[in-house]
Amino acid sequence: MNGSLHHREHGRDATAGPAASPTAGHRPATALPRLLAELRGPGAAPRPLDARALAALAANPGCRRRALLDGAGVDKSALARALGSPAGFGRSEFAFVRGNVFEARVQADGGAELIRLLRERFGADGPVPEPGEVNVPDLSAPGPEGRTARTRLALAEAFAGGGWTLLFHPMVRLDVAGSPAALEPDAVAVHPDGSCTVVEVKSFPVVDGSADAAKVGAAARQAAVYVLALRGLAEEIDRQPASGGDTLPAQAQAQAQGQVQAPARAADAVTRERPAGSAGAPGAGEAPEAGPHGAGRVRSTILLVCPKDFSNLPTAEPVDVRKQLAVTRRQLDRLTRIEDIAAALPEGTTFDLRLADDDRTPTRPPEELAAAVDAVPAAYAPECLAACELAFHCRARSREAGAVEALGRGVRGELGGLTTVESVLEAAFGEHGDPADPAVSALRRAAALRAEALATAGDAAGRDGLPAAHRKGEPGCR
């Protein structure tokens, strides 16, 4: 990616509130890795920021709480349990095992079935590759840095190779609000023309040619994050093809170089032996055909691979993620930098659970932990319940404050400057608000219609001997 993913307007974040003043009560500027380690607590290993979490973060870019906790690698599930508000969602062990078994089937025989699906759905690129002709490089390397370096070298070799290459579980990096995130797609297929396709393998079934729309949408948002990261890597490879892992650990770079030299020498030998003018190579005096370059190498249509009907046989469908890609890019651009969020926290703020000797039981008082969490502004919406581990805690705080965000983003947008349920009710009954405000006018009209309907229902109920409806000011009205 070119530059960091944040947006500035007149020297500060466009979506942020007033800039924090550098008073003595706030955290001084610190190097980012040390700052994030302080927030996690001593000895706490960082949780990786995967594409699923990144897609959820991009769906709610105004939530500084999630941006900071995800950027710092805090275990939000453990944090929610310690706060007494455990997450209400998760992945079952059965689904996890079934997904691994299905993915192993897709990768079997050097990815032969995956190549068949790619050729079937995207059109045949040249003759059917013979067994062993599909390059499946080994991407293992020590640590995320080593795997990232190995992926870069293997992808550069695949771009220049001219044949089919399958990268299973490559690792790519994406800068998110100034913090690097390591992402691991299920697979990336490089076509003979030098373009590549992100492959997303899911265990939910495709029954009679259709699948759960919500699950397909979630997969598309997740894959869009991979496409965004791969486009940055493709641009880097085409811009600096020889500068693979200069900034990465020497051991990882050496291992990655050693693993890629053998296929590179084999490709060079094939190129030397190929006669001039043969298929797949320009002859003497011919100009090479123009192919995809830079970010254009990464296709905006991904391949979603799922079980067919109720079997374990793979089927696939192309999914256009251009819309999800544009939304993800725009939302990530809006994220406030993690350093700016952390700099506004009170000195000494940490999310350390102070685990006991069993490394599982938190010993920190929940009230102290809740104060640390509440020091970071949140942007709760009902959609968070399906995407964030801290959603129940944030919902409770939003309800305590009477915030209209708890009713949904659509309602919040319609109410304009009315930010609390109490102010909405006061505006509806003429106790507060400017009558010229369209939101206030609509609320009062709705309240008048409601009162008229309740009065009619009350008269009917009185005739039938039933209790009358509540009037304004009584609990039933609020």
Side-chain angles (χ1 to χ4, degrees):
M1 299 292 298
N2 293 329
S4 58
L5 294 173
H6 66 287
H7 176 67
R8 298 282 173 171
E9 182 177 354
H10 304 299
R12 63 183 181 90
D13 182 72
T15 61
S21 60
T23 59
H26 289 95
R27 181 187 300 272
T30 315
L32 182 59
R34 179 183 169 189
L35 185 150
L36 299 183
E38 290 176 359
L39 292 174
R40 288 192 303 270
R47 301 275 294 186
L49 181 60
D50 59 15
R52 185 173 300 177
L54 190 52
L57 177 60
N60 190 9
C63 186
R64 297 188 170 200
R65 182 175 296 170
R66 173 151 196 168
L68 181 64
L69 293 175
D70 281 346
V74 176
D75 187 346
K76 297 196 300 297
S77 295
L79 184 60
R81 288 193 299 269
L83 290 170
S85 303
F89 65 94
R91 188 177 184 183
S92 69
E93 188 66 24
F94 173 78
F96 183 76
V97 172
R98 184 174 185 271
N100 286 341
V101 171
F102 177 69
E103 187 172 347
R105 179 158 192 166
V106 173
Q107 298 179 8
D109 299 326
E113 183 67 13
L114 182 54
I115 291 293
R116 183 189 69 80
L117 292 171
L118 285 161
R119 289 172 52 82
E120 179 182 296
R121 298 304 183 187
F122 290 100
D125 289 340
V128 178
E130 297 293 332
E133 286 187 352
V134 177
N135 185 25
V136 185
D138 180 12
L139 301 181
S140 60
E145 293 85 359
R147 291 183 59 195
T148 302
R150 179 69 190 97
T151 297
R152 186 193 188 284
L153 290 169
L155 195 60
E157 172 66 19
F159 287 160
W164 282 99
T165 298
L166 293 179
L167 305 180
F168 290 116
H169 293 284
M171 183 158 283
V172 292
R173 292 165 65 92
L174 182 67
D175 285 338
V176 182
S179 178
L183 306 174
E184 185 178 336
D186 292 327
V188 174
V190 182
H191 299 245
D193 65 353
S195 65
C196 60
T197 299
V198 172
V199 179
E200 190 68 13
V201 181
K202 295 296 183 183
S203 60
F204 59 83
V206 175
V207 181
D208 292 334
S210 62
D212 187 296
K215 293 180 179 179
V216 172
R221 290 189 294 272
Q222 183 176 344
V225 176
Y226 297 138
V227 172
L228 188 62
L230 278 167
R231 286 186 170 178
L233 179 57
E235 285 184 350
E236 179 188 340
I237 290 173
D238 283 343
R239 185 173 60 249
Q240 299 173 333
S243 61
D246 294 343
T247 61
L248 298 175
Q251 178 184 0
Q253 185 180 350
Q255 178 175 349
Q257 288 281 6
Q259 291 173 332
V260 82
Q261 281 174 356
R265 287 194 294 268
D268 290 341
V270 171
T271 302
R272 286 194 300 270
E273 294 175 2
R274 180 182 292 144
S278 62
E286 279 185 84
E289 294 184 4
H293 188 78
R297 290 185 181 274
V298 186
R299 303 186 180 200
S300 59
T301 299
I302 63 110
L303 187 71
L304 179 62
V305 182
C306 299
K308 183 177 181 180
D309 298 326
F310 299 102
S311 69
N312 209 30
L313 299 175
T315 186
E317 289 295 334
V319 179
D320 190 341
V321 297
R322 282 178 294 180
K323 178 180 179 181
Q324 291 84 356
L325 186 61
V327 171
T328 300
R329 185 187 292 111
R330 182 173 65 252
Q331 299 293 63
L332 290 179
D333 286 346
R334 292 178 54 196
L335 287 176
T336 307
R337 290 183 65 88
I338 292 174
E339 300 98 319
D340 298 340
I341 301 174
L345 297 178
E347 180 68 24
T349 298
T350 178
F351 307 106
D352 183 16
L353 301 180
R354 299 174 192 164
L355 298 178
D357 294 338
D358 60 0
D359 291 330
R360 297 178 59 185
T361 306
T363 63
R364 189 175 180 186
E367 298 79 10
E368 184 179 325
L369 192 59
V373 172
D374 293 341
V376 191
Y380 171 77
E383 293 83 354
C384 297
L385 294 172
C388 183
E389 294 86 345
L390 287 174
F392 287 101
H393 173 80
C394 296
R395 182 179 68 174
R397 290 291 189 265
S398 182
R399 287 176 172 177
E400 289 174 5
V404 295
E405 284 83 354
L407 304 176
R409 294 193 179 101
V411 175
R412 174 67 186 90
E414 293 288 341
L415 293 175
L418 303 173
T419 58
T420 66
V421 175
E422 189 67 25
S423 64
V424 169
L425 292 174
E426 291 176 352
F429 292 109
E431 301 171 1
H432 174 75
D434 182 2
D437 186 337
V440 174
S441 176
L443 284 169
R444 291 181 180 176
R445 174 61 178 163
L449 293 174
R450 177 181 182 274
E452 180 180 343
L454 289 177
T456 302
D459 292 342
R463 288 193 298 269
D464 296 337
L466 299 176
H470 291 287
R471 290 183 292 275
K472 187 260 175 182
E474 295 183 359
C477 197
R478 300 232 175 184

